[in-house]
Amino acid sequence: MGSDAAFEYDGGRVAPGTRRNLRYAISETYLGDPIRIPVTVVNSEREGPTVFLSAASHGDELNGIEVVREVAYEWDLSDLVGTLVCLPVLNVPGFLAQQRYLPIYDRDLNRSFPGREDSTSAKRMAARIFDNFIAPCDFGIDFHTSTRGRTNMLHVRADMSDDAVARLAQAFGSNVIIDSQGGDGLLRSEATRSGIPTVTVEMGEAHRFQRDLIDDALAGVESVFAEYELREPSVVRWPGWRTVIHDTNERTWIRADVGGIVDMHHESGSLVREGDRICTLTDPFKSDTVAVEAPFTGLLVGVLENPVVYPGNPLCHLIELDDDVRRVVEREQTRDATS
């Protein structure tokens, strides 16, 4: 998008050198009232890329909302180069109900992209969002949290076989990148297939703001802006260590084999060694105890927060680290424990 180009969407335009806050209609309620999503477009007079930041395609995932809002409304964007499209709440019906899915047949908005104007309610909403505010962009970042009852350390999910996506993922500067193409209908997958390199940032848990993770994600956005020269020169961050988890790496969701009450012994982001007790499951009388041990030495990317499980429910997400990274993580966690 050049300095003489307006950002155009169905029903309006944002001229160079201006910004616009709008509530954009993507559907209607049972009463025929419009369902509107909040959108902020900042269009610089200086030529540069067009980037989107999106959050809350799952309505109860709140951390990303605050990241997008702070970039849009608290950052000084007077030196912006290019165009910034901020979409803090994609799933407005889910956000209002404080639930993950659209409260319209429980459809998943983040399995409905790029959408279709003549299809289901979810795909019609997705099409309005995608066609107007994703398709005009050059790249994007989509913010998520774990589902309710679980939490994730901050990490990036990206298709690292795509060089443009890999550049974006590395620029964000997280310790962990999980390499995957992603399933059909995901915003990041469908945008990338449409030539708009996009990554997902996973951070924390649903139903809350977690300030430390929000600040870390904001630093990641600032690093991306530096990589693509969207603002005055600043430094692309190096997180101190990084691991990229491919399909060839060892990683697993460890699941409960029995129902019960869970006592989790480690937090997300913790390094555990093979044989370490990750958690303990007990019955209501504490008469039957089941110890869950790490099958290999690795990093806990995600752990259970809600301490009750049925058989088969996930307890934690464990990833393998190579020897060099593992030694760095050991030193870092030992220093943090003694400081």
Side-chain angles (χ1 to χ4, degrees), residues 21-25 36-39:
N21 297 333
L22 59 137
R23 297 179 185 269
Y24 192 77
R36 298 186 176 102
I37 64 168
V39 184

Side-chain angles (χ1 to χ4, degrees), residues 158-173:
D159 180 3
M160 299 298 282
S161 66
D162 185 311
D163 290 342
V165 174
R167 177 189 177 192
L168 176 59
Q170 291 165 344
F172 192 83

Side-chain angles (χ1 to χ4, degrees), residues 148-337:
R148 62 185 179 183
R150 301 203 297 267
T151 188
N152 285 326
M153 68 177 291
L154 187 144
H155 67 277
V156 169
R157 298 185 182 183
D159 180 3
M160 299 298 282
S161 66
D162 185 311
D163 290 342
V165 174
R167 177 189 177 192
L168 176 59
Q170 291 165 344
F172 192 83
S174 64
N175 292 121
V176 175
I177 300 172
I178 295 182
D179 176 17
S180 69
Q181 291 186 347
D184 291 342
L186 268 67
L187 176 54
R188 75 168 171 99
S189 302
E190 300 300 341
T192 297
R193 289 170 187 164
S194 297
I196 308 154
T198 300
V199 301
T200 293
V201 175
E202 292 278 352
M203 47 185 295
E205 58 186 296
H207 291 294
R208 66 192 63 213
F209 283 162
Q210 295 167 284
R211 191 67 243 177
D212 57 337
L213 293 172
I214 291 167
D215 289 342
D216 197 9
L218 286 166
V221 175
E222 187 173 22
S223 179
V224 168
F225 281 21
E227 169 70 19
Y228 294 90
E229 300 181 342
L230 284 158
R231 297 176 74 196
E232 289 297 321
S234 57
V235 177
V236 178
R237 73 169 176 171
W238 167 245
W241 59 270
R242 173 183 290 147
T243 185
V244 179
I245 305 300
H246 306 284
D247 288 338
T248 53
N249 292 94
E250 191 161 14
R251 57 175 170 146
T252 185
W253 273 101
I254 298 174
R255 296 181 178 273
D257 289 328
V258 299
I261 299 170
V262 182
D263 181 13
M264 187 67 64
H265 304 310
H266 299 274
E267 299 178 345
S268 64
S270 297
L271 181 71
V272 294
R273 298 183 179 280
E274 182 178 353
D276 282 355
R277 182 177 293 195
I278 295 174
C279 62
T280 304
L281 281 71
T282 60
D283 66 14
F285 310 105
K286 290 199 171 183
S287 58
D288 290 327
T289 300
V290 177
V292 178
E293 298 180 347
F296 55 85
T297 297
L299 193 72
L300 290 172
V301 172
V303 298
L304 188 73
E305 288 284 322
N306 184 355
V308 292
V309 291
Y310 279 107
N313 285 167
L315 297 167
C316 63
H317 187 192
L318 182 66
I319 64 171
E320 184 183 35
L321 302 175
D322 65 41
D323 290 341
D324 290 340
V325 171
R326 178 179 52 77
R327 284 191 287 269
V328 173
V329 175
E330 285 174 340
R331 288 196 300 268
E332 182 180 277
Q333 296 197 356
T334 298
R335 183 184 66 245
D336 291 344

Side-chain angles (χ1 to χ4, degrees), residues 70-143:
E70 290 197 22
V71 173
Y73 315 124
E74 295 187 20
W75 281 18
D76 179 2
L77 298 173
S78 61
D79 61 349
L80 182 70
V81 176
T83 304
L84 178 61
V85 181
C86 292
L87 302 153
V89 183
L90 293 182
N91 184 351
V92 166
F95 176 73
L96 293 175
Q98 273 303 280
Q99 67 181 49
R100 179 177 177 84
Y101 300 128
L102 289 162
I104 308 163
Y105 305 117
D106 285 331
R107 296 191 186 275
D108 188 344
L109 183 63
N110 199 39
R111 295 297 187 277
S112 303
F113 291 101
R116 278 179 50 189
E117 290 282 2
D118 61 350
S119 185
T120 66
S121 54
K123 288 189 176 182
R124 291 179 187 222
M125 292 182 194
R128 292 283 288 168
I129 293 168
F130 197 92
D131 294 346
N132 286 284
F133 301 109
I134 306 300
C137 294
D138 296 302
F139 62 91
I141 305 173
D142 188 32
F143 292 94

